[in-house]
Structure formats: C-alpha cells, structure tokens
Amino acid sequence: MPQWLPQKRLWVNRLPHRRTQAWSSPESFLLTRCQPVSETGPTGWPEGVARHILERVDSTNAEAMRLAPHLSGPAWVLAHRQEAGRGRRGRAWTDPPGNFAASLVMRPEGGAGDAARLSFVAALALHQALIRLCGPHLNIALKWPNDVLLNGGKLSGILLESAGAGGQVATLVIGIGVNLSQAPDVGQVEAGATRPVSLKGETGLTITPEEFLDALAIAFDDWHRQMRTYGFAPIRQAWLARAAKLGETITARTGTVETTGVFEGIDETGALILMTPRGKQAIPAADIYFSGG
Ligand SMILES: O=C(O)CCCC[C@@H]1SC[C@@H]2NC(=O)N[C@@H]21
C-alpha cells in the first residue's frame, strides 16, 4: 500500500450534505487529507437531486422504482442493509454491513439507447469517486459492461432497470453496489467469475456509505452533464482510457454462446467490439471472462 494512503476514514465535515475533497496528486493528498471541509462553503451535492437514506430495504432498486411516481426530480436511495439485493442477469447481490448499496432514479432524456449508455456514466462516476476519496494511485479499472475492478478483483457492480412503454424509458434506476467493507464469500460467486474484493480488504481504508454517496452523486452529476452537453463520444473515450484488458484477448459469454477475441473497444452504442478469427464482432450484452480470473 502506498505510504500516503490513510489508514482510517477521511475527515469530512458532518453536515447532512457534505463536500468531499478532490485529490489531484499524492502530494496534495498528503497535505490536505486532515483538513476539515469548510462548513459554510457550498455543499457540492447536486442541485435538485433528492436523497433518501434507509436503514433496511428489500432492494434499493425496487424502492427507487416504487418512489418514482412520487418524485419531482432525480433522487438517490441509499440503504444500510438490503434483504433482497439484485444483481445482473437475475443473480442475487449480497451486502455485508458497511457496504454501499444505492440507486439513482431519474427520468432520462432520449430513448432506451441513451438510457443504457448511462451505465458508462455511472462507471466513470464510481472511478472518480474512488480516486477522490482514496487517492490517485488506487489501482482501479473498468470492466465491460459495468463493473469496477480494484487490484483486478470485482469491487463494484451496476444494475440498470427501467420502466416505460413504446420504446421510451419513463423511469430509469441505476443501482450501484460497492464492497466498501467486505467482499461476499467466494462461494457465492459463479465459477470463472472475477474474484470479489473489498476496499477495506485491499487498501485498509474505511469509507462510510454516506461519505461514498456524496462523492458518487457529485461525480455522477459531472459526467452526466458532460454527456448531456457533448454526447457519448467523450464518455466512451474516458471509459476506454480506464478499461481493463483493452487490446487483450477476452471471452464474452451470452447464454451458451462464447466469443473469444481481442478487446478492441466499444462502439457508439456501448457494445463490446471483439476482433475474432471470423472478423470484428459487436456484442451488445454478455458476461466477460478474463483468462486467469
Ligand atoms: O451484478 C452486478 O454486478 C450488479 C450488482 C448491483 C447491486 C446493486 S446494490 C444497490 C442496487 N440495488 C439492488 O438490488 N441492486 C443494486
């Protein structure tokens, strides 16, 4: 672990809406990590975005979907415990205490394709929040379609769920789980899947779910504004700059179909581009396997 990483949680102020500190270099991290953030300054929490903090819920995605008809704008729903957390492809998501489980509910602009591309915005926001809270040398990478890896293990997953009619997405829920304090048992993970890791286990850092939510909400707002202003191109570029195994051979599995090829990038829809012995293939949805886990 680099010398400058703090052993304990970062010092941030205790206002209900806190601003998290931004670290531009290890040096600035060292110099400023023990400075409390001004209690009178701007909070940084995105304007017009509500937040709901719950002790316990079935799933924050389910709760966000239930809340949607009663909301006048976007909202984050965070729960300290989930009793029926949902993962991708109908899998369960377990949340040991201290982990982060939250969902952002919104009415997205555009159609289903635009909504799906917000998963890349969420992945970039996770990357940014982790770097801001933990320092620039944290070894994180983004795994297609929407996992975050720390030291090569799975730290975080994203689950998008939507409701609407006629190809329009009226409500989008972006659910995010981060193993802040504990990784689930390896026994709960499918054979061949990336090993789960936790932030605490890999770095010794302790960050509370509320601290993480503040950093994530701000980062999501930043990247989302970029996408609204400039389109998907800069998001795609930024995502690729942080992508795991770019240029390497990987395997994409969709149901029983496996495609192995060189990971060349993602296209303008967010589909995975693999160069295979039969030519270039665009894969819109799959689970990815790296040789060696
Ligand atoms: O399978 C994955 O990698 C995605 C996991 C997403 C889990 C999060 S935890 C918060 C939100 N609520 C849920 O029920 N699932 C997502």
Side-chain angles (χ1 to χ4, degrees):
M1 185 170 62
Q3 282 281 295
W4 49 269
L5 284 179
Q7 302 299 310
K8 292 278 177 212
R9 55 197 266 190
L10 303 169
W11 186 5
V12 294
N13 73 47
R14 297 283 149 221
L15 288 173
H17 288 174
R18 294 179 299 271
R19 167 185 276 239
T20 48
Q21 291 152 309
W23 314 117
S24 51
S25 67
E27 289 72 26
S28 70
F29 188 84
L30 260 181
L31 288 171
T32 57
R33 73 179 187 192
C34 291
Q35 303 296 315
V37 172
S38 158
E39 301 210 348
T40 53
T43 65
W45 179 268
E47 224 180 289
V49 179
R51 74 175 188 177
H52 299 257
I53 302 202
L54 309 169
E55 210 38 60
R56 191 173 279 272
V57 76
D58 50 357
S59 146
T60 56
N61 269 28
E63 178 67 10
M65 209 45 107
R66 288 190 291 264
L67 268 176
H70 312 287
L71 294 171
S72 56
W76 282 95
V77 179
L78 177 139
H80 287 284
R81 291 309 303 274
Q82 290 191 117
E83 280 153 2
R86 314 204 276 237
R88 290 177 65 233
R89 303 187 179 280
R91 298 176 186 122
W93 179 266
T94 53
D95 286 292
N99 280 3
F100 178 83
S103 304
L104 173 64
V105 52
M106 57 161 72
R107 293 184 192 287
E109 290 157 11
D114 296 298
R117 283 188 285 269
L118 286 171
S119 71
F120 296 96
V121 169
L124 285 168
L126 275 164
H127 188 286
Q128 180 171 317
L130 285 161
I131 294 291
R132 288 223 168 138
L133 290 167
C134 305
H137 295 315
L138 199 68
N139 176 22
I140 32 182
L142 304 180
K143 182 185 174 204
W144 190 89
N146 40 28
D147 286 346
V148 178
L149 307 182
L150 171 61
N151 297 340
K154 177 163 171 168
L155 176 71
S156 168
I158 301 169
L159 175 67
L160 261 63
E161 295 183 303
S162 62
Q168 289 303 303
V169 177
T171 304
L172 178 71
V173 171
I174 303 173
I176 297 175
V178 185
N179 302 328
L180 289 180
S181 73
Q182 292 177 62
D185 286 343
V186 194
Q188 292 173 3
V189 175
E190 285 174 13
T194 310
R195 87 191 149 94
V197 295
S198 74
L199 185 70
K200 176 106 168 94
E202 295 295 306
T203 67
L205 288 168
T206 303
I207 292 173
T208 68
E210 283 95 340
E211 285 164 353
F212 194 75
L213 178 62
D214 286 355
L216 182 63
I218 293 165
F220 187 93
D221 195 54
D222 287 351
W223 285 107
H224 192 200
R225 194 168 317 115
Q226 278 223 40
M227 181 144 124
R228 285 197 308 261
T229 311
Y230 303 109
F232 185 56
I235 301 298
R236 177 170 169 263
Q237 198 180 3
W239 189 91
L240 285 170
R242 295 157 179 78
K245 307 282 179 184
L246 191 63
E248 295 182 39
T249 299
I250 62 174
T251 297
R253 191 182 297 158
T254 310
T256 54
V257 180
E258 278 199 359
T259 312
T260 297
V262 175
F263 175 21
E264 287 214 328
I266 57 173
D267 69 13
E268 61 289 342
T269 70
L272 178 79
I273 307 293
L274 286 189
M275 177 57 83
T276 75
R278 287 181 298 151
K280 217 173 253 200
Q281 290 197 30
I283 299 171
D287 281 326
I288 297 301
Y289 296 87
F290 302 151
S291 54

